[in-house]
């Protein structure tokens, strides 16, 4: 018996292939008088190969949700399943992109991208080729021997995306990766992310507080409510892929953004 | 995207660099100021008619320096002091880094050792010189130990700070990558600590010079420190100044060697945005 309906007036259909499934997840921090409920009753199912954004205002528990999905912290109750197995700790099958590009400043771009290969003691040569290919795809050819300090913020974040993808994970978790970038760079990065994602088609969970970004990238947008964090509403984004910058001016896109904004304010 | 498009221009690089930032300019400036100091020193001695016993004229110092260098007198004593410095530096650094590494591993160790580390750091190590002479005699050993003691603390402290001041996000990255404790240590904590440890080494090498010389003051018949005491006894002030020149040069050369090692080791720290 799998109940995947959300706390949303419209019950969701049971997806045939749920890659990640949140079942009644709650999370409380602290104890006693400092006890606070960060997430409450999250039921959510993310289908294989989908790009899902989690949208919500600051402090509503987005990062907490993602950290639980990554197995970095346990839920207080409920469970998160990946391929029907409970996630208890991080695994190789998962790529994680942090809000800041957490690069090691003493390593070159290429060495940073290959860090997961080193940790898992995999074949360097084969992955080197792959890393260089990623760099090309992300417009960073020729920067492989640069140090992070020599790159702009956007370029650093591209490097950390390449690092998250180097082992071809089946799930890519991203925590507001473009939050610190200006609007123009952010839109450019959105297109690049989609380009590189379309090659792998991994299941992607993307956190953002930017409505346009969520709508542009995703197949589905999960809107979280605050205090405590809960699923407020889910939007399907029926725009075709591959998506181009033109889609941002599409009527459907504009209407969706308006609906999401209204739902967010409600 | 080309490199030129993202590389920020260094401020003012389009204009001609100020003369004092060029290599030639810097060298001329240093030489000019050095000459001025010598001239003022010389004039002062001449005009006040100060005795050479109190302050010898620069030329007298130069004569003493040349004479005692050519006779091999200064060089012989320098080797003694230099070996004390280097042995003490090596001993103190190795023990400091080793103990720092152990201490950094656990909070319990830091809590237990913390007050003692603080106390022994606050205690002036040079004050121990007389007891070292009593324990270890008049040979090279007490000087090596004093130099080692004085080198030990900056390395202990910097190793602990370096190994424990890891960026929490980077630690989280290693957790996401399911890195083992060893991998976390060698691929994150150690590289993060190395620049801080090197800063400690740079401080320690100059302190080692002080340790060795003061050790020789307290009781020795060889080494530059012992020679200073001997020169004091025979009222040979120009020789004293010649020894100061030697000690200064030793200090500068050792410091420069450390700096050079550091630059080759941490080339990434010296690339600037835009290089
Ligand atoms: N380790 C923790 N201990 C105590 N409280 C925490 C902890 N982590 C998060 N919280 C609390 O949980 C709530 C949700 O935090 P979270 O970081 O998930 O928000 P967020 O939606 O990611 O916000 P932002 O958009 O600002 O990043 C916040 O009120 C925060 O104070
Ligand atoms: Mg967050």
């Amino acid at each position: 018996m799998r109940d995947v309906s959300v706390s949303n007036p419209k019950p969701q259909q049971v997806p045939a292939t749920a890659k990640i499934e949140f079942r009644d997840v709650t999370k409380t921090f602290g104890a006693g008088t400092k006890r606070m409920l960060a997430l409450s009753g999250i039921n959510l199912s993310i289908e294989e190969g989908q790009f899902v954004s989690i949208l919500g205002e600051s402090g509503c528990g987005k990062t907490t949700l993602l950290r639980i999905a990554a197995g970095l912290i346990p839920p207080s109750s409920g469970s998160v399943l990946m391929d029907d197995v409970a996630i208890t700790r991080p695994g190789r099958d998962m790529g994680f992109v942090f809000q800041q590009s957490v690069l090691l400043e003493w390593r070159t771009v290429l060495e940073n991208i290959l860090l997961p290969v080193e940790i898992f003691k995999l074949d360097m040569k084969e992955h080197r080729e792959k890393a260089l290919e990623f760099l090309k795809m992300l417009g960073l050819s020729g920067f492989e021997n640069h140090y992070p300090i020599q790159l702009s913020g956007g370029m650093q974040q591209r490097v950390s995306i390449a690092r998250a993808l180097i082992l071809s994970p089946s799930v890519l978790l991203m925590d507001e990766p473009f939050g610190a970038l200006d609007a123009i760079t952010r839109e450019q990065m959105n297109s690049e992310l989609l380009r590189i994602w379309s090659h792998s088609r991994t299941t992607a969970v993307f956190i953002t507080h930017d409505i346009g970004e969520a709508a542009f990238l995703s197949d589905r947008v999960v809107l979280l409510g605050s205090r405590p964090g809960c699923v407020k509403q889910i939007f399907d984004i029926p725009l075709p892929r591959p998506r181009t910058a033109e889609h941002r001016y599409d009527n459907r896109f504009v209407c969706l953004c308006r609906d999401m904004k209204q739902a967010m304010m409600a | 995207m080309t490199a030129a498009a993202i590389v920020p221009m260094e401020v003012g690089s389009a204009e001609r660099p100020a003369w004092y930032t060029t290599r030639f300019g810097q060298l001329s400036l240093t030489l000019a100021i050095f000459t001025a100091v010598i001239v003022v020193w010389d004039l002062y001695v001449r005009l006040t008619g100060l005795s050479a016993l109190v302050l010898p004229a620069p030329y007298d110092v130069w004569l003493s320096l040349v004479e005692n260098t050519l006779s091999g007198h200064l060089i012989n004593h320098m080797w003694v002091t230099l070996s004390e410095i280097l042995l003490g530096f090596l001993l103190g650094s190795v023990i400091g880094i080793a103990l720092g590494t152990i201490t950094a591993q656990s909070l319990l160790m830091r809590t237990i050792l913390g007050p003692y580390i603080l106390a022994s750091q606050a205690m002036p190590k040079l004050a121990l010189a007389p007891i070292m002479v009593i324990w270890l005699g008049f040979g090279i050993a007490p000087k090596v130990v004093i130099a080692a003691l004085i080198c030990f603390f900056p390395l202990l402290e910097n190793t602990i700070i370096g190994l424990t001041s890891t960026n929490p996000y980077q630690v989280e990255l290693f957790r996401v990558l399911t890195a083992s404790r060893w991998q976390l240590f060698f691929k994150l904590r150690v590289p993060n600590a190395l620049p801080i440890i090197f800063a400690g080494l740079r401080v320690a090498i100059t302190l080692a010079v002080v340790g060795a010389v003061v050790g020789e003051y307290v009781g020795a018949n060889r080494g530059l420190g012992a020679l200073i005491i001997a020169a004091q006894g025979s009222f040979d002030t120009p020789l004293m100044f010649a020894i100061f020149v030697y000690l200064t040069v030793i200090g500068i050369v050792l410091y420069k060697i450390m700096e050079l090692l550091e630059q080759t080791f941490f080339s990434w720290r010296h690339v600037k945005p835009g290089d």
Side-chain angles (χ1 to χ4, degrees):
Chain A
M1 171 57 217
R2 278 161 65 184
D3 179 22
V4 285
S5 65
V6 278
S7 53
N8 165 357
K10 279 187 299 191
Q12 292 292 124
Q13 273 149 3
V14 179
T17 48
K19 181 72 186 172
I20 305 176
E21 207 178 322
F22 291 81
R23 286 193 188 163
D24 273 327
V25 170
T26 64
K27 180 73 188 176
T28 51
F29 285 113
T33 52
K34 289 210 178 125
R35 193 180 144 89
M36 74 89 81
L37 187 60
L39 292 173
S40 123
I42 303 279
N43 279 298
L44 178 65
S45 158
I46 294 167
E47 288 169 47
E48 176 135 33
Q50 269 203 338
F51 199 119
V52 174
S53 285
I54 296 183
L55 179 68
E57 62 190 51
S58 187
C60 71
K62 306 182 293 292
T63 298
T64 307
L65 191 69
L66 202 70
R67 282 163 58 84
I68 293 174
L72 283 168
I73 51 172
S76 302
S77 71
S79 58
V80 185
L81 310 181
M82 182 166 149
D83 296 321
D84 294 322
V85 181
I87 297 169
T88 52
R89 65 179 115 103
R92 183 182 148 183
D93 216 21
M94 202 174 262
F96 200 100
V97 182
F98 294 87
Q99 191 153 357
Q100 300 91 0
S101 58
V102 185
L103 301 176
L104 305 182
E105 55 269 33
W106 54 87
R107 283 174 172 249
T108 62
V109 165
L110 192 63
E111 288 166 346
N112 265 292
I113 297 177
L114 292 173
L115 178 70
V117 183
E118 253 180 79
I119 300 281
F120 287 101
K121 302 196 179 74
L122 302 174
D123 180 50
M124 261 309 177
K125 222 175 131 226
E126 174 198 328
H127 286 91
R128 229 183 107 87
E129 299 290 311
K130 195 168 164 193
L132 290 173
E133 210 170 289
F134 276 148
L135 284 175
K136 206 160 146 198
M137 231 187 286
L138 292 167
L140 285 172
S141 296
F143 285 96
E144 53 267 21
N145 294 322
H146 282 58
Y147 287 95
I149 189 182
Q150 297 171 285
L151 307 182
S152 71
M155 295 164 91
Q156 291 182 8
Q157 204 49 283
R158 275 179 256 196
V159 173
S160 65
I161 290 171
R163 179 180 61 198
L165 287 172
I166 191 74
L167 299 182
S168 311
S170 65
V171 173
L172 180 61
L173 306 175
M174 293 167 278
D175 186 4
E176 292 193 55
F178 309 136
L181 303 180
D182 63 89
I184 304 279
T185 314
R186 178 192 281 235
E187 289 190 8
Q188 202 180 323
M189 295 289 294
N190 287 165
S191 299
E192 277 179 26
L193 176 63
L194 281 188
R195 192 146 45 93
I196 199 164
W197 172 74
S198 67
H199 284 267
S200 58
R201 284 292 179 144
T202 68
T203 308
V205 182
F206 186 95
I207 286 188
T208 180
H209 55 243
D210 188 286
I211 294 171
E213 185 173 60
F216 180 73
L217 293 171
S218 318
D219 298 308
R220 287 205 301 163
V221 177
V222 178
L223 180 62
L224 287 193
S226 300
R227 272 164 254 281
C230 58
V231 178
K232 213 171 179 184
Q233 198 172 336
I234 296 183
F235 295 87
D236 282 309
I237 314 291
L239 299 174
R241 292 188 189 271
R243 293 194 186 152
T244 62
E246 278 307 305
H247 280 115
R248 290 183 192 272
Y249 309 105
D250 190 299
N251 235 341
R252 282 173 297 175
F253 184 88
V254 176
C255 288
L256 266 167
C257 287
R258 192 194 51 207
D259 291 351
M260 281 194 243
K261 182 150 192 184
Q262 279 167 356
M264 221 170 156
M265 308 276 257
Chain B
M1 179 178 283
T2 63
I6 56 98
V7 165
M9 194 100 92
E10 206 165 288
V11 182
S13 68
E15 293 145 39
R16 249 185 54 205
W19 64 272
Y20 52 82
T21 61
T22 65
R23 214 176 167 77
F24 178 73
Q26 274 171 358
L27 205 68
S28 325
L29 191 64
T30 309
L31 269 177
I33 291 176
F34 181 74
T35 314
V37 169
I38 298 286
V39 167
V40 169
W41 173 6
D42 194 64
L43 282 176
Y44 182 75
V45 171
R46 278 171 203 277
L47 293 179
T48 57
L50 218 56
S51 148
L53 193 66
V54 180
L55 184 67
Y59 186 64
D60 294 336
V61 173
W62 173 250
L63 282 184
S64 177
L65 187 67
V66 171
E67 186 191 326
N68 287 295
T69 301
L70 292 180
S71 72
H73 192 49
L74 275 171
I75 307 273
N76 283 338
H77 286 281
M78 183 191 77
W79 287 128
V80 176
T81 307
L82 199 59
S83 46
E84 290 162 2
I85 294 170
L86 292 179
L87 282 174
F89 171 71
L90 218 66
L91 191 70
S93 306
V94 167
I95 299 178
I97 292 172
L99 219 68
T101 308
I102 295 169
T103 312
Q105 298 308 312
S106 86
L107 190 63
L108 182 65
M109 284 287 271
R110 286 203 291 285
T111 318
I112 293 172
L113 295 178
Y116 297 99
I117 292 174
L118 183 68
S120 40
Q121 228 160 355
M123 140 128 224
K125 264 70 68 185
L126 295 178
L128 294 175
I131 194 79
M132 288 299 156
V133 173
I134 293 177
W135 287 347
L136 300 167
F138 287 87
I140 183 175
K143 291 90 185 177
V144 172
V145 170
I146 292 164
L149 265 178
I150 222 174
C151 289
F152 170 79
F153 289 98
L155 280 151
L156 178 75
E157 181 164 32
N158 283 28
T159 305
I160 296 174
I161 291 174
L163 288 175
T164 52
S165 67
T166 326
N167 175 339
Y169 288 103
Q170 292 179 342
V171 176
E172 182 125 288
L173 168 71
F174 276 69
R175 274 194 67 205
V176 167
L177 293 173
T178 69
S180 67
R181 227 186 123 90
W182 283 111
Q183 286 174 326
L184 181 74
F185 184 72
F186 284 110
K187 290 186 195 294
L188 180 60
R189 292 203 191 280
V190 170
N192 186 65
L194 279 181
I196 303 172
I197 293 176
F198 251 87
L201 288 174
R202 225 178 330 118
V203 172
I205 194 82
T206 36
L207 289 178
V209 179
V210 179
V213 172
V214 172
E216 288 172 349
Y217 280 175
V218 176
N221 39 34
R222 296 175 46 166
L224 293 175
L227 205 56
I228 290 176
I229 300 294
Q232 187 195 27
S234 61
F235 302 106
D236 190 352
T237 316
L239 176 60
M240 265 195 190
F241 274 74
I243 300 168
F244 296 156
V245 173
Y246 262 67
L247 289 172
T248 308
V249 172
I250 289 176
I252 291 176
V253 168
L254 292 177
Y255 185 88
K256 282 286 166 193
I257 290 174
M258 292 312 300
E259 210 177 56
L260 210 70
L261 278 177
E262 199 176 339
Q263 276 167 11
T264 34
F265 248 118
F266 308 117
S267 50
W268 61 269
R269 291 196 105 201
H270 301 280
V271 291
K272 290 182 194 71
D275 275 2

